Amino acid sequence: MRTRRHAVNGLLTLLIYGIFALFSLFLVVIGARVYQSIVSAGRENTQLRSSFSYVANKVRMSTRAAGTVRIEEREGLDVLILESQVEGYETRIYYYDGALREAYQASEQPFSPKLGEKLMELSEFRMEETQTGHLVLFAADTGGNQRSLHLYLEGKSV
């Protein structure tokens, strides 16, 4: 009788340890998924803020240097054109093939979207100018996380 009681006690102890191990593993898996989603959301937020900061600073630098800023459609893409201080050159910023891209080229050089340097991966990036020409809207998406930036160009026409 005693050995049977010891066997049952041992089995119950093993069962309790097994349940504890199972719940511990379950908590680790849940924690890993939560951590992954936090890191992913942080990465997406950083990409959005970086894309807006980059474009806004490039526009501000161009307008301070008395260059012109405009949005043109080339090859079916909206392209932000920032004229350079060096005459005959321009910076072209556009969204192509899942990434925000930039190309610094001679003004007369034909536009080829593939040649631009990839700045950052985004699901979508749009640019629009208002009727007055003093406000430019940039909208970006990183797969569900959408943000927009309205940039006012004081004294400049787009």
Side-chain angles (χ1 to χ4, degrees), residues 11 13 25 30 45-46 53 92 96 109-110 124 128 150 154:
L11 189 60
T13 304
L25 180 64
I30 288 174
N45 192 29
T46 299
S53 294
R92 301 167 181 169
Y96 176 74
Q109 186 173 357
E124 178 185 1
E128 301 171 10
H150 297 267
E154 186 175 340

Side-chain angles (χ1 to χ4, degrees), residues 88-92 103-112 115-116:
Y89 285 89
E90 62 189 17
T91 300
R92 301 167 181 169
Y104 181 74
Q105 298 172 321
S107 301
E108 67 274 352
Q109 186 173 357
F111 177 69
S112 177
L115 296 179

